[in-house]
Amino acid sequence: MVAYRRFACSVAALAASLMTSTAFAQVPVKLGVLADMSGIFSDIGGMGAAEATKMAAEDYEKANPGKLKIEVVSADAQNKPDVSSAIARKWFDSDGVEVLIDLPTSAISLAIAPLVQEKNKVALFTASGSSDLTGKACTPNSVHWTYDTWALSHGTADAITKAGGKSWFFVTADFALGHALERDATAVVTQNGGKVLGGVRHPTDAKDFSSYLLQAQASKAQVIGLTNAGGDTINAIKQAAEFGIVESGQKLAGMLLFISDIHSLGLKTAQGLQLTTAFYWDLNDKTRSFGDRFATRNGGRYPSMNQAGAYSAVMAYLKAVEKAGSAKDGVAVVKAMRDAGTFDDPLFGRTSLREDGRVLHDMMLVQVKKPQESKRAFDYYKVLATIPGDRACRPLKDGNCPMIK
């Protein structure tokens, strides 16, 4: 009789476990890609970020059949914090979305972060750059994956200043990312004995940079720092070439450049530019495999670091959901991501999540190849230096994240 009862209890426990597992697998984990689908940042995120998210979901399901049922939705953020907040709130309140991916501008991310915390969801900041997201605006629900303004500045500005570019003039996009880039780059320049001679700010999606570039020329600064992004950076570099700025002896420093920007500029215009990036598709066999798969699905265009960030962040998030046992508690999922410790990400190498929400991985200082050095489209970078993750990111004690005591 005792043996029978033990057997019956074991069967009941097994049945309950199977029912729980089956029920969990039938609950979809809904991922929301909130990206710039039609504006100046669409090439660096956009539908490519949605495609990278779908690739991560498919790869996870293939490797872990029956564990989670994943659904991906997407929307155009229109680069407006109010529009993005309204979409996110509807997704959270009515549509069952548990996590946001991409978030194309720092202004959007800074607006979304407190909402995500209020709703106890998760934000994977894979396309926004302000280092404030892991500083004064940090939350237990936020993960800053790809890059930030501190890392970019301590890569590009540090290398150029140490190489002799001691006087700077900034052409800055007048929004949160631009302000943060200029602030963090200025700190690096001055720490290295350089001097900022001035700066000018322009609206987002500016078409005519002539007046800004003339002011930069008149400053006689050795380096013109472009603290903007996307279409604005492309337009500024193209018009600088028309003005013969580099030929006249000044140097351009693109503080936030993507491989899609180099593709749009062409190597004849972009050659010699130095920039800091978190990802390059042609770095090793794993990145090349992902890059080729992505290009096949994305009209032949290879992934930007933001699109690679979307893939890797989503993959890490799904593994954490499995570990946490539910996607409903955002804080618990982020904790599970952090508890994973240091792991070998196929696209970013050794990777870990810090207490302030910053993801640590290597960054690379690269130089754009000359046209004759490139063997095919998107073969654009020469890696000059690899910056280890613990040096590429701002020290934890310097961020002023209120969660860190």
Side-chain angles (χ1 to χ4, degrees), residues 296-319:
T296 299
R297 298 170 59 139
N298 199 48
R301 296 179 72 88
Y302 279 73
S304 71
M305 65 171 165
N306 289 357
Q307 291 157 346
Y311 176 91
S312 289
V314 167
M315 188 65 78
Y317 169 82
L318 294 173
K319 291 176 181 177

Side-chain angles (χ1 to χ4, degrees), residues 47-199:
M47 292 306 299
E51 196 62 46
T53 299
K54 292 174 185 175
M55 289 174 66
E58 292 166 10
D59 288 353
Y60 176 86
E61 288 179 327
K62 183 177 180 181
N64 304 276
K67 291 285 181 67
L68 305 175
K69 183 179 179 182
I70 306 162
E71 183 179 351
V72 179
V73 298
S74 61
D76 189 349
Q78 299 180 41
N79 298 329
K80 297 177 180 178
D82 57 340
V83 170
S84 299
S85 296
I87 293 169
R89 190 173 291 276
K90 179 180 181 296
W91 275 354
F92 292 155
D93 292 345
S94 306
D95 299 341
V97 170
E98 303 292 350
V99 58
L100 302 179
I101 302 102
D102 192 283
L103 293 308
T105 73
S106 294
I108 287 173
S109 296
L110 290 167
I112 289 289
L115 174 62
V116 171
Q117 183 177 12
E118 173 195 335
K119 300 295 183 180
N120 196 21
K121 305 296 184 178
V122 175
L124 301 175
F125 297 125
T126 59
S128 44
S130 174
S131 57
D132 289 341
L133 288 167
T134 53
K136 62 184 180 181
C138 72
T139 81
N141 301 73
S142 304
V143 176
H144 201 172
W145 190 275
T146 313
Y147 67 93
D148 66 21
T149 52
W150 196 97
L152 296 174
S153 299
H154 284 74
T156 307
D158 185 68
I160 291 174
T161 308
K162 287 180 177 176
K166 295 295 187 180
S167 60
W168 288 62
F169 185 97
F170 288 106
V171 177
T172 300
D174 193 10
F175 69 145
L177 172 70
H179 300 170
L181 266 177
E182 181 180 344
R183 176 197 67 204
D184 290 347
T186 296
V188 174
V189 170
T190 55
Q191 285 167 11
N192 285 320
K195 186 177 182 180
V196 176
L197 303 183

Side-chain angles (χ1 to χ4, degrees), residues 341-363:
T342 301
F343 60 94
D344 185 21
D345 183 87
L347 306 188
F348 292 84
R350 288 177 61 80
T351 300
S352 61
L353 175 59
R354 207 166 59 181
E355 302 97 301
D356 59 351
R358 186 66 175 95
V359 173
L360 304 184
H361 52 64
D362 293 351
M363 301 287 289

